[in-house]
Amino acid sequence: MCGICGFINFKARASAEDKEIVRRMTDKLIHRGPDAQDTLIFDNVALGFCRLSIIGLGNGMQPISNEDDSIFLVCNGEIFNYIELRDTLRAKGHIFKTESDVETIIHLYEDHGMDFVNMLNGQFAFALYDKRKSELYCVRDHMGIVPLYYTFANDIFVFGSEIKAILEHPAVSRQVDLVALDQVFTFPGLISPRTMFKDIHSLENGHYLKVDPEGRISKKEYWDLDFPAEGQVEERDEKYYVDKLEELFEKSIKLRLRSDVPTGLYLSGGLDSSMITMKVDQLQPGKHKEAFSIDFVESDISETSYQELVATASNANLNKKTFYFKDISERLKQAIYHCECPLKETYNTASLALSSSSRAKGVKVILSGEGSDELFAGYVGYRFDKMRAMGGFQSPLTDTERAYRNRVWGDDTVFYESDFSEITNTKRQLYSKSVNDNFDQVNCLNFPVINKARLKGRHVINKRSYLDYKLRLVDHLVADHGDRMALAHSVEVRYPFLDKEIIEFSTQVPPDLKLKDFTEKYIVKTLASRFVPKKVVEREKFGFVAPGSSYLLQNKVEYIQDLLSYSQIERQGYFNPDMIESLKTRYSQKGFKLNLPFESDLLITVITFGIFLDQFFE
């Protein structure tokens, strides 16, 4: 991964001042690419790049251009199938200047225009400028692993890998988007195109936008997770699906091991990371492997025994990072600075510790197991949905709740995360009078969040899978939690389960092989039983929940007390200070514990929003 940024000024040619602006923007991204930085200015275009050298170490610097300097590119990410693409392009006569993977993008564009994007297998966000047409294309990968942000201000189009780079441009103003804040309280996190900054947008996964010579912006969806209608999946025997999954899994890992620098492994002790670790050992027997784990020594349940079991079985050197709960308060400000949004929990602080451990060991490419739960029914919600579909857990819907569900999902049978009526009442108690006076303009349930057509007529398991993918995975687990916490320490994380071919295959797997007799991820566990220690395959799913606001309050962390003080909350004007005081009293009681993840930690979102304001607005 790297950092990219830039702008096009539609009212003036680039100047010396613009060169300084793009340099400052680039400086804000150095943690994403500490190995080298460069900027390029021509006509009315400015491009900035920070490099994390992984492929083509000697000659892969960007911005990069084609043979006649008519097409320019800055790209953040990796094109994993670049070798196959490069061989095909060379056979057609294209001349390559470098050994980098991203140069294939330029030549594919020369041959195919923007239709080439679906030929890529990778994780990427890039900006491609066609000088002949004076057109800019900004693209985010199929799975949304790599973020890309943009805005249009005072006739200037500005983009960047992180919002902090965009904010360096003097034309860009700062204003909190209250609808985005409401999303954090309502869903697992922010949902593209929303960001916490009004008028700064997050490009959605599987989309690209075009900026034409007059500054007009158009956006196109080129890919999305799309399940077939219920009953339209071709039924084959179980062995076919397990064999096919293993074939694609091996291929995905082989592609993600392509690197000119050492590649390590995150090893939690859970099923998915254990599968990746064991399969890497199968594919590269005898090769030295560095695995990294977090040991929550103060937790009731430690996963160390499973981590050590898999590390021994795979001949990996296990680097354990001891994470004390006091580390949460020490790392929380850093987490918010990098993810640029408030959070619903504190686990990002542990992710920061993990990437720090990896970088300290000199490993800047990591394989991680995210994605399997969302694609193959790995959460308890899938079981609840199946029970409801079978006639269990049925409760009458109020007219208000039915209206909410139809508005948001287009389907009143869909229950996701929480009862909308209940969370709406909670938010209204939480918000200040001024926010409540404009609640209809703030309530995120009044705005589209998904393509409702992707739910219509789908199996209940696949409905939740689509929602988990769009609302939990894309902008939270692999964006603020994955990309941002890893690249805070200049580490690139790759996700074998989020290979495009695996995702598309998952849509063709019968739901009964994902959740079989209420066994979550049945097909994944069946595959794992071929090469993962039995003790790991058969263990109960363990979802560690990091201590939240009650821990911080009960341990009287000083800056947390300041953030939640009555005067501070009242001055900021977003929340009801009396309600915050009531929650503080409740959460501070000795022995108090929220039933996570079934209850929301309201105060941690208030706390992290306060940190966000301090860092970006005050």
Side-chain angles (χ1 to χ4, degrees):
M1 300 284 195
C2 303
I4 63 172
C5 61
F7 55 89
I8 300 179
N9 190 331
F10 289 96
K11 61 183 178 182
R13 291 179 64 85
S15 64
E17 181 185 1
D18 287 334
K19 187 172 181 64
E20 175 60 21
I21 291 169
V22 76
R23 185 197 63 77
R24 291 202 310 268
M25 292 173 67
T26 306
D27 285 348
K28 285 292 183 179
L29 301 173
I30 282 178
H31 53 279
R32 298 184 70 92
D35 298 331
Q37 296 81 42
D38 201 3
T39 60
L40 176 67
I41 287 187
F42 57 90
D43 300 336
N44 61 339
V45 179
L47 301 174
F49 180 72
C50 293
R51 187 176 191 208
L52 185 63
S53 304
I54 290 173
I55 292 175
L57 301 183
N59 59 7
M61 190 57 187
Q62 301 177 44
I64 190 170
S65 63
N66 63 343
E67 297 93 330
D68 64 1
D69 288 340
S70 62
I71 299 169
F72 293 86
L73 173 77
V74 283
C75 179
N76 168 23
E78 306 292 343
I79 310 302
F80 297 126
N81 61 336
Y82 77 99
I83 293 175
E84 295 78 7
L85 293 172
R86 188 174 61 194
D87 290 346
T88 301
L89 289 162
R90 278 179 171 158
K92 290 182 176 181
H94 286 278
I95 306 299
F96 281 75
K97 303 176 182 178
T98 76
E99 296 303 312
S100 77
D101 54 312
V102 303
E103 191 176 355
T104 56
I105 293 172
I106 290 177
H107 300 301
L108 287 168
Y109 173 76
E110 289 178 311
D111 281 3
H112 303 281
M114 290 306 294
D115 291 340
F116 81 90
V117 182
N118 271 313
M119 300 169 67
L120 303 177
N121 186 334
Q123 52 189 68
F124 51 82
F126 64 81
L128 182 149
Y129 186 75
D130 188 328
K131 197 172 182 181
R132 297 163 301 187
K133 298 179 180 179
S134 298
E135 291 178 346
L136 177 74
Y137 292 92
C138 291
V139 186
R140 189 177 181 191
D141 66 61
H142 304 76
M143 286 66 71
I145 295 169
V146 181
L148 186 67
Y149 301 97
Y150 65 95
T151 189
F152 197 87
N154 295 333
D155 295 321
I156 303 172
F157 178 83
V158 190
F159 70 89
S161 296
E162 297 183 11
I163 296 171
K164 55 181 67 69
I166 292 175
L167 294 174
E168 285 298 302
H169 198 291
V172 178
S173 60
R174 307 183 187 206
Q175 186 178 347
V176 173
D177 187 334
L178 288 177
V179 180
L181 176 62
D182 199 65
Q183 280 188 347
V184 177
F185 282 112
T186 308
F187 300 112
L190 287 176
I191 304 162
S192 294
R194 293 276 176 190
T195 74
M196 285 304 301
F197 298 84
K198 196 170 184 181
D199 299 324
I200 299 180
H201 313 288
S202 170
L203 185 61
E204 299 96 316
N205 73 291
H207 283 68
Y208 69 79
L209 57 84
K210 180 176 82 171
V211 187
D212 73 13
E214 283 72 46
R216 293 184 296 256
I217 300 172
S218 56
K219 188 162 55 176
K220 180 178 179 180
E221 180 182 77
Y222 67 85
W223 186 91
D224 193 18
L225 180 63
D226 191 5
F227 291 97
E230 187 168 8
Q232 291 188 359
V233 173
E234 182 180 357
E235 295 284 347
R236 299 177 185 242
D237 63 85
E238 182 179 304
K239 186 175 184 301
Y240 162 82
Y241 290 105
V242 179
D243 288 348
K244 185 67 176 177
L245 181 57
E246 182 163 29
E247 174 193 330
L248 295 174
F249 187 56
E250 283 192 4
K251 180 181 177 182
S252 174
I253 289 177
K254 286 178 182 177
L255 288 175
R256 282 155 183 78
L257 287 172
R258 288 179 171 175
S259 171
D260 295 336
V261 297
T263 300
L265 303 143
Y266 280 168
L267 180 56
S268 69
L271 181 68
D272 305 325
S273 64
S274 298
M275 287 178 70
I276 293 168
T277 303
M278 295 301 300
K279 183 58 73 172
V280 167
D281 188 55
Q282 276 191 357
L283 296 172
Q284 297 182 334
K287 186 172 181 178
H288 178 77
K289 293 176 286 295
E290 295 287 345
F292 300 87
S293 67
I294 289 285
D295 183 16
F296 299 99
V297 293
E298 294 170 85
S299 178
D300 295 336
I301 303 174
S302 173
E303 296 188 270
T304 296
S305 63
Y306 297 103
Q307 295 163 357
E308 292 176 344
L309 171 64
V310 174
T312 300
S314 63
N315 302 298
N317 178 46
L318 183 62
N319 300 270
K320 286 192 292 184
K321 175 76 173 180
T322 302
F323 190 81
Y324 299 96
F325 290 169
K326 66 178 176 61
D327 294 339
I328 292 171
S329 59
E330 294 172 3
R331 293 182 183 267
L332 197 54
K333 291 181 180 180
Q334 184 189 10
I336 302 307
Y337 173 76
H338 284 287
C339 70
E340 302 171 334
C341 64
L343 300 170
K344 296 180 77 122
E345 35 74 30
T346 63
Y347 189 77
N348 280 23
T349 56
S351 298
L352 275 175
L354 198 55
S355 64
S356 174
S357 175
S358 170
R359 187 69 192 195
K361 191 76 174 183
V363 177
K364 58 182 178 181
V365 178
I366 289 288
L367 302 191
S368 186
E370 278 80 1
S372 173
D373 289 330
E374 292 78 14
L375 297 174
F376 296 102
Y379 297 123
V380 68
Y382 291 91
R383 283 190 283 162
F384 289 156
D385 283 350
K386 185 172 181 177
M387 290 176 189
R388 276 189 287 268
M390 295 170 62
F393 295 130
Q394 296 290 352
S395 56
L397 288 181
T398 64
D399 291 341
T400 301
E401 182 64 19
R402 179 175 285 106
Y404 270 134
R405 293 188 190 183
N406 281 321
R407 184 190 313 161
V408 178
W409 312 132
D411 183 345
D412 63 20
T413 67
V414 174
F415 174 85
Y416 187 78
E417 289 292 305
S418 60
D419 182 285
F420 286 139
S421 302
E422 182 180 322
I423 190 63
T424 298
N425 290 335
T426 299
K427 290 184 298 186
R428 298 209 70 154
Q429 294 175 54
L430 199 63
Y431 290 146
S432 66
K433 181 181 183 302
S434 62
V435 174
N436 271 305
D437 286 345
N438 297 284
F439 186 72
D440 284 345
Q441 287 74 49
V442 171
N443 185 1
C444 67
L445 300 178
N446 291 333
F447 301 88
V449 290
I450 59 149
N451 181 350
K452 291 181 274 193
R454 296 282 189 260
L455 298 180
K456 189 174 182 181
R458 270 58 170 192
H459 189 280
V460 63
I461 298 299
N462 291 337
K463 287 180 183 179
R464 178 170 288 272
S465 187
Y466 182 75
L467 294 177
D468 270 341
Y469 182 83
K470 299 295 283 192
L471 306 183
R472 185 187 307 279
L473 187 64
V474 171
D475 291 308
H476 173 48
L477 291 182
V478 298
D480 75 60
H481 175 71
D483 173 273
R484 311 303 278 277
M485 297 304 102
L487 282 160
H489 292 114
S490 310
V491 172
E492 173 180 291
V493 180
R494 301 174 174 183
Y495 306 94
F497 282 106
L498 292 180
D499 182 272
K500 179 172 174 279
E501 291 187 28
I502 289 180
I503 293 177
E504 291 176 345
F505 169 72
S506 77
T507 68
Q508 302 304 312
V509 174
D512 287 347
L513 285 181
K514 297 177 182 180
L515 185 68
K516 185 172 184 178
D517 299 328
F518 294 98
T519 298
E520 298 157 2
K521 290 201 303 193
Y522 172 81
I523 183 175
V524 177
K525 290 177 179 177
T526 303
L527 171 58
S529 67
R530 296 178 176 181
F531 53 88
V532 175
K534 185 177 180 181
K535 187 177 178 182
V536 174
V537 177
E538 293 182 350
R539 69 173 292 201
E540 227 177 285
K541 183 177 176 65
F542 170 59
F544 173 79
V545 179
S549 60
S550 58
Y551 172 84
L552 298 171
L553 286 167
Q554 290 165 27
N555 283 273
K556 295 181 170 53
V557 177
E558 186 175 355
Y559 81 86
I560 301 295
Q561 302 283 343
D562 292 341
L563 285 168
L564 293 180
S565 71
Y566 194 98
S567 59
Q568 175 86 325
I569 296 296
E570 187 175 43
R571 181 183 63 80
Q572 290 172 339
Y574 295 99
F575 301 112
N576 176 355
D578 294 317
M579 179 64 173
I580 301 303
E581 286 296 308
S582 175
L583 289 173
K584 279 166 57 180
T585 300
R586 181 180 167 221
Y587 287 21
S588 298
Q589 290 174 357
K590 189 175 180 180
F592 173 82
K593 231 176 175 183
L594 286 162
N595 182 23
L596 299 173
F598 300 105
E599 288 183 282
S600 290
D601 187 346
L602 298 172
L603 279 187
I604 202 63
T605 302
V606 176
I607 290 167
T608 53
F609 179 65
I611 295 172
F612 166 80
L613 291 177
D614 281 350
Q615 292 182 333
F616 293 101
F617 285 86
E618 297 183 9

